[in-house]
């Protein structure tokens, strides 16, 4: 399709229409789509409606076909609508939440999840997914940490890249592929106090060293779109921030795809008290090269006036519309406006057995075994087990952002364990503890955590302790000398100090459609858990935000006798469970750390080698992590940064050798202007099973 030619035929109203995105409810009463926000119905004329360029969410293939048909028959130029939606961790088959995915340290999992999500979502003609969320997340009070990949920029890069590639593959035109929209540019994961939508205030150094990495990885992987954030960046709301959206995003990061605001956020620049009114917001949005306005109607109402007043230039509108039409063309919508929508496939493919099986399989690597004293897990089949806690009969295991997933089809923990033929019973957890007799049981299994609607957008918390009196069961069972295991369901790190004396703790997050079956696989010992944490678990609320890769200070806590150091007088500095931490049913021993050379130059690389012995009778996966500290540099740098990792399968009672190649690239950093800097000098190379237990070797860059 010749886009330039279409553009030349378009009236200004038609161009403005392309720059609007509205929910399907404007066309379909009772659409089944779930919208993450209040619907602000603006008064759009019928003429305006039939010029709109894209739709936020669509319920199913039927809705899509009807809407597109109706639209095309009423539109002069017949430019097809583009349907965009939040397909975050599955469409009808729901997979582990992104935070859980990252704990696998296996980015193929993210790729595969994105693949199946794209294939299923396209049955309803969806062309763009608002995923992945590339925001770095360090504050578990923020409910959206469930939607991200944790506190480490390197891991974030790998998962964002894999997810984009999974959605788009090599060509968005092909059946089964979606275009990916990265979000939320920029810094949305760092709201002050973990309060959603709150102010973000970070230095450019912090931005370039850490926060930009995820977005950049998405751009480099070819993501077609970028969504602006709700928050202000450097004092200016992202959706009207020219410095952010043009100077940084377009010019520095070379993004040339389509930009879209977040939900209503262009208009909210008025509530931020930066734009004066809708007209001003529209002006600033255009100047920030924001191509599509989601939900609010500043563009629809004021672009024309702004052009007539000579405040904005028609060429800016033409360029924006060109980018939008190009995306539609690249998706093949002009030839195939229904975008492979298929009732038949919707029935056959969505939530089919093969996809459910995959959901179960991919969930295995996402669980993190935090504690397992006396080999409490795997459970023995002859054990009598009592289940306690609010999540024993809970089937809502999908997690937030799974609007098309049907929780009612999922199995509860009790059902899943019953199916395994285990001797399980449960007691009402709201009962008084003393009324529950523990004598006849060998194991007390507590299913604890938070409900799925306690994390996600607008789900900030000021207290991350287990609530609803859940901890009493662990205490009661321990007081009665019983073995206690805890299974956790949650969308964010929680404070686990109250239950830390449980014998076993298994973090399962929200694993999706097959959560409890996958958990049963681990409990039965058919699957050996291997995930590691990608966000630190704090000891208490006051430590938050806590993350392993913090900057150096002038008074670090090295000598505990010195009171004038950086520490809490009432609590340790360290996390309860650090980044990278996770156990296995196997026991791994690291030995024979070696380096090929302690001097590295711009030309040569060096190898770090370590042997990992599986000193147990069970095969397992281990995630070997490599961190680097730049010992001295011109600016303060993190005390350590993850630079590489390898996940390897080690058979029982065998040893494997892991080799990391270290090159100049691992020794560079980004300064506050976004430039890559290499500084000669010493670097500490650290290798181990998590961010704390590390073996160190010093090298020098000459
Ligand atoms: C969220 C976005 C989402 C959009 C559309 C907003 O509230 O912040 O992440 O893509 O809604 O549903």
């Amino acid at each position: 399709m010749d886009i330039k030619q279409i553009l030349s035929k378009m009236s200004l109203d038609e161009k403005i229409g392309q720059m609007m995105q509205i929910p399907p409810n404007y066309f379909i009463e009772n659409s089944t789509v779930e919208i993450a926000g209040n619907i602000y119905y603006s008064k759009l004329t019928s003429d305006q409606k039939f010029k709109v360029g894209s739709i936020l969410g669509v319920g199913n293939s039927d809705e899509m076909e009807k809407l597109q048909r109706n639209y095309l028959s009423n539109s002069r130029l017949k430019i097809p609508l583009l349907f965009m939606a939040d397909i975050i961790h599955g469409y009808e088959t729901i997979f582990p939440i992104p935070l859980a995915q990252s704990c696998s340290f296996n980015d193929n999992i993210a790729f595969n999840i994105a693949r199946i999500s794209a294939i299923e979502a396209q049955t309803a003609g969806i062309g763009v997914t608002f995923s992945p969320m590339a925001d770095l997340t360090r504050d578990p009070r923020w409910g959206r940490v469930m939607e991200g990949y944790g506190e480490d920029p390197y891991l974030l890069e790998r998962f964002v890249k894999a997810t984009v590639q999974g959605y788009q593959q090599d060509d968005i035109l092909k059946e089964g592929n979606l275009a990916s929209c990265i979000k939320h540019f920029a810094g949305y994961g760092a709201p002050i106090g973990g309060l959603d939508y709150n102010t973000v205030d970070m230095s450019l150094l912090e931005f370039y060293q850490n926060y930009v990495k995820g977005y950049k990885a998405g751009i480099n992987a070819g993501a077609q779109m970028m969504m602006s954030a709700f928050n202000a960046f450097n004092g200016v709301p992202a959706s009207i921030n020219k410095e952010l959206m043009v100077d940084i995003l377009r010019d520095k990061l070379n993004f040339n795809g389509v930009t879209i605001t977040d939900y209503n956020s262009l208009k909210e620049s008025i509530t931020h008290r930066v734009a004066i009114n809708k007209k001003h917001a529209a002006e600033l949005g255009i100047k920030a090269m924001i191509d599509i306005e989601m939900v609010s109607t500043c563009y629809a109402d004021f672009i024309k006036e702004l052009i007539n007043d000579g405040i904005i230039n028609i060429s800016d509108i033409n360029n924006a519309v060109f980018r939008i039409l190009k995306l539609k063309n690249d998706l093949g919508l002009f030839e195939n406006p229904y975008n492979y929508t298929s009732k038949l496939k919707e029935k056959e493919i969505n939530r089919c057995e093969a996809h459910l099986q995959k959901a179960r399989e991919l969930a295995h690597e996402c669980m993190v075994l935090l504690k397992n004293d006396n080999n409490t897990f795997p459970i023995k089949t002859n054990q009598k087990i009592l289940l306690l806690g609010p999540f024993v009969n809970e089937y809502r295991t999908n997690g937030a952002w799974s609007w098309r997933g049907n929780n009612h089809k999922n199995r509860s923990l009790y059902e899943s364990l019953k199916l395994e033929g285990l001797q399980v019973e449960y007691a009402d957890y709201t009962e008084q503890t003393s009324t529950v007799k523990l004598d006849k049981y060998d194991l007390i299994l507590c299913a604890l955590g938070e409900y799925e609607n306690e994390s996600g957008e607008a789900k900030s918390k000021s207290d991350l302790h287990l609530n609803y009196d859940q901890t009493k069961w662990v205490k009661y069972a321990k007081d009665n000398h019983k073995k206690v295991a805890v299974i956790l369901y949650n969308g964010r790190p929680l404070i686990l100090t109250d239950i830390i004396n449980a014998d076993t703790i298994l973090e399962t997050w929200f694993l999706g459609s097959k959560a409890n079956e996958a958990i049963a696989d681990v409990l039965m010992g058919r699957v050996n858990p291997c995930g590691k944490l990608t966000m630190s678990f704090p000891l208490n609320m006051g430590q938050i935000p806590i993350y392993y890769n913090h900057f150096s200070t002038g008074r670090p806590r090295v000598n505990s006798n010195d009171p004038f150091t950086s520490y809490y007088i009432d609590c340790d500095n360290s996390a309860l469970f650090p980044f990278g931490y996770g156990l296995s049913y196997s026991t791994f021993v690291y030995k024979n750390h070696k380096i090929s050379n302690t001097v590295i130059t711009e030309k040569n690389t060096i190898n770090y080698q370590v042997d990992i012995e599986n000193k147990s009778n069970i095969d397992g996966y281990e995630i070997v992590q490599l961190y680097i500290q730049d010992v001295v540099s011109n600016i303060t740098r993190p005390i350590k940064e993850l630079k590489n990792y390898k996940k390897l399968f080690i058979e029982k009672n065998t040893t494997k050798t892991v080799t990391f190649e270290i090159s100049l690239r691992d020794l560079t950093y980004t300064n506050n202007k976004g430039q890559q800097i290499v500084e000669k000098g010493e670097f500490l190379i650290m290798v181990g099973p998590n961010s704390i237990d590390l073996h160190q070797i010093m090298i020098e860059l000459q």
Side-chain angles (χ1 to χ4, degrees), residues 569-590:
I569 59 170
D570 58 350
C571 163
D572 259 13
N573 281 11
S574 49
L576 176 64
F577 294 115
F579 175 87
Y581 176 85
L583 303 173
S584 154
Y585 295 156
S586 315
T587 307
F588 298 110
V589 179
Y590 285 57

Side-chain angles (χ1 to χ4, degrees), residues 255-427:
F255 178 71
N256 50 27
V258 173
T259 49
I260 185 167
T261 69
D262 203 342
Y263 197 100
N264 204 45
S265 70
L266 190 55
K267 190 169 157 215
E268 286 166 18
S269 62
I270 304 168
T271 335
H272 273 279
R273 296 192 293 114
V274 178
I276 302 162
N277 49 30
K278 280 176 83 178
K279 182 174 175 184
H280 191 208
E283 173 196 338
L284 298 176
I286 296 295
K287 289 184 174 161
M289 286 177 80
I290 296 282
D291 300 331
I292 302 177
E293 177 180 8
M294 190 195 290
V295 178
S296 55
T297 53
C298 306
Y299 282 179
D301 296 344
F302 290 103
I303 285 185
K304 228 176 185 172
E305 208 175 302
L306 288 165
I307 290 180
N308 289 340
D309 293 351
I311 295 172
I312 59 170
N313 212 312
I314 184 70
S315 63
D316 294 334
I317 304 301
N318 287 339
N319 291 339
V321 176
F322 181 84
R323 285 189 288 270
I324 297 165
L325 295 182
K326 179 174 181 308
L327 176 59
K328 290 188 173 184
N329 195 34
D330 291 348
L331 282 162
L333 289 184
F334 289 99
E335 292 75 28
N336 175 15
Y338 299 97
N339 195 22
Y340 306 105
T341 149
S342 158
K343 270 197 198 68
L344 186 71
K345 283 201 175 152
E346 199 168 43
K347 263 213 187 99
E348 277 177 0
I349 293 178
N350 293 359
R351 217 175 189 281
C352 64
E353 262 319 304
H355 288 180
L356 287 172
Q357 187 48 38
K358 212 63 193 156
R360 180 171 182 164
E361 218 176 280
L362 298 179
H364 290 148
E365 290 184 49
C366 303
M367 287 178 244
V368 187
L369 185 63
L370 296 175
K371 201 179 166 192
N372 195 25
D373 286 357
N374 311 315
N375 298 327
T376 306
F377 280 175
I379 49 185
K380 315 336 166 245
T381 42
N382 60 353
Q383 281 179 323
K384 285 211 167 80
I385 302 168
L386 176 68
L387 301 178
L388 283 169
F391 301 95
V392 167
N393 286 308
E394 178 62 52
Y395 49 86
R396 286 170 294 176
T397 53
N398 285 345
W401 290 115
S402 51
W403 53 288
R404 287 287 288 152
N406 187 345
N407 265 317
H408 291 275
K409 294 185 177 167
N410 301 348
R411 282 207 182 104
S412 69
L413 181 66
Y414 175 69
E415 286 166 346
S416 304
L417 296 185
K418 259 295 199 220
L419 274 177
E420 297 287 346
L422 293 172
Q423 306 170 63
V424 278
E425 288 171 14
Y426 64 87

Side-chain angles (χ1 to χ4, degrees), residues 578-579 581 590 593 625 627 640 686-696:
F579 175 87
Y581 176 85
Y590 285 57
H593 293 261
Q625 301 159 44
Y627 297 83
K640 61 187 86 157
M686 297 168 261
V687 171
N690 62 60
S691 62
I692 298 295
D693 302 320
L694 297 166
H695 182 90
Q696 311 183 344

Side-chain angles (χ1 to χ4, degrees), residues 60 115 150 215 259 338 460 477 506 548 561 622:
N60 51 44
R115 278 300 324 121
Y215 313 114
T259 49
Y338 299 97
S460 298
L506 179 70
Y548 85 94
N561 294 324
E622 170 64 339

Side-chain angles (χ1 to χ4, degrees), residues 539-668:
L539 276 168
N540 69 17
M541 290 303 297
Q543 286 184 319
I544 297 172
I546 179 169
Y547 44 93
Y548 85 94
N549 47 357
H550 59 83
F551 288 138
S552 292
T553 73
R555 294 185 174 192
R557 185 74 172 160
V558 262
N559 175 0
S560 56
N561 294 324
D562 184 351
F564 294 101
T565 51
S566 183
Y567 79 111
Y568 298 105
I569 59 170
D570 58 350
C571 163
D572 259 13
N573 281 11
S574 49
L576 176 64
F577 294 115
F579 175 87
Y581 176 85
L583 303 173
S584 154
Y585 295 156
S586 315
T587 307
F588 298 110
V589 179
Y590 285 57
K591 54 189 187 190
N592 304 330
H593 293 261
K594 275 190 244 149
I595 199 138
S596 60
N597 193 340
T598 53
V599 173
I600 184 168
T601 64
E602 296 201 4
K603 287 185 203 90
N604 76 320
T605 60
I606 56 178
N607 287 338
Y608 188 113
Q609 227 181 52
V610 59
D611 294 339
I612 325 282
E613 183 184 356
N614 180 349
K615 250 187 157 169
S616 69
N617 288 321
I618 170 162
D619 301 342
Y621 282 95
E622 170 64 339
I623 301 162
V624 186
Q625 301 159 44
L626 174 115
Y627 297 83
I628 296 184
Q629 182 193 76
D630 184 349
V631 177
V632 179
S633 39
N634 283 329
I635 52 166
T636 51
R637 307 272 358 270
I639 57 158
K640 61 187 86 157
E641 294 172 289
L642 182 72
K643 289 290 180 179
N644 205 346
Y645 58 83
K646 293 210 166 142
K647 183 165 184 172
L648 50 144
F649 182 72
I650 313 180
E651 281 170 23
K652 57 188 169 196
N653 300 310
T654 60
T655 299
K656 268 201 179 155
T657 303
V658 173
T659 306
F660 289 107
E661 192 186 65
I662 299 163
S663 68
L664 194 66
R665 190 185 165 277
D666 302 311
L667 310 179
T668 57

Side-chain angles (χ1 to χ4, degrees), residues 36 56 86 130 144 183-184 227 230 262-263 294 401 457:
L56 167 60
D86 297 283
F130 294 131
R144 291 191 87 164
K183 63 194 188 185
H184 308 82
M227 186 186 292
F230 283 124
D262 203 342
Y263 197 100
M294 190 195 290
W401 290 115
E457 185 174 350

